[in-house]
Amino acid sequence: RDSEPKAIGFYLVRAVQDKLQFELLNALNQKDRLSELLGEPPHIMEERKTLTGQLQVLQKASAVLTRDPTLAAIALQAEDEEQPSPAASPS
């Protein structure tokens, strides 16, 4: 006797659940909407392009320095000159 309303409720809820799932999947499977949902935001794409360009420049610079030891020595000297000497601690 108590199971009849429960069974009716179960089938009604199940039908609504199936319909809702179908509608949500249809909304997600639209081509333009799918790429929008899965894609990166524009500012992230710009940052990725910028960082990729910087990486390429640094790799080329590293290759040049590796190829020419004289340039590497000059770069190392310049780096040493830029670093401030440690201050003497008062005794």
Side-chain angles (χ1 to χ4, degrees), residues 8-25:
I8 293 170
F10 172 77
Y11 286 111
L12 289 175
V13 169
R14 182 68 183 241
V16 170
Q17 179 183 0
D18 290 342
K19 177 70 173 168
L20 184 61
Q21 184 177 10
F22 177 76
E23 292 297 327
L24 289 173
L25 285 175

Side-chain angles (χ1 to χ4, degrees), residues 2-69:
D2 290 334
S3 63
E4 289 173 6
K6 289 181 183 179
I8 293 170
F10 172 77
Y11 286 111
L12 289 175
V13 169
R14 182 68 183 241
V16 170
Q17 179 183 0
D18 290 342
K19 177 70 173 168
L20 184 61
Q21 184 177 10
F22 177 76
E23 292 297 327
L24 289 173
L25 285 175
N26 277 342
L28 283 176
N29 284 331
Q30 295 173 355
K31 293 273 186 197
D32 54 342
R33 185 79 175 137
L34 187 62
S35 63
E36 178 186 329
L37 291 172
L38 294 178
E40 287 182 327
H43 69 279
I44 298 292
M45 290 176 14
E46 288 299 320
E47 185 176 359
R48 183 184 306 281
K49 287 178 186 176
T50 303
L51 292 175
T52 301
Q54 288 178 356
L55 179 63
Q56 290 174 350
V57 167
L58 290 173
Q59 287 173 336
K60 288 178 184 177
S62 176
V64 168
L65 290 175
T66 302
R67 225 179 10 239
D68 192 351

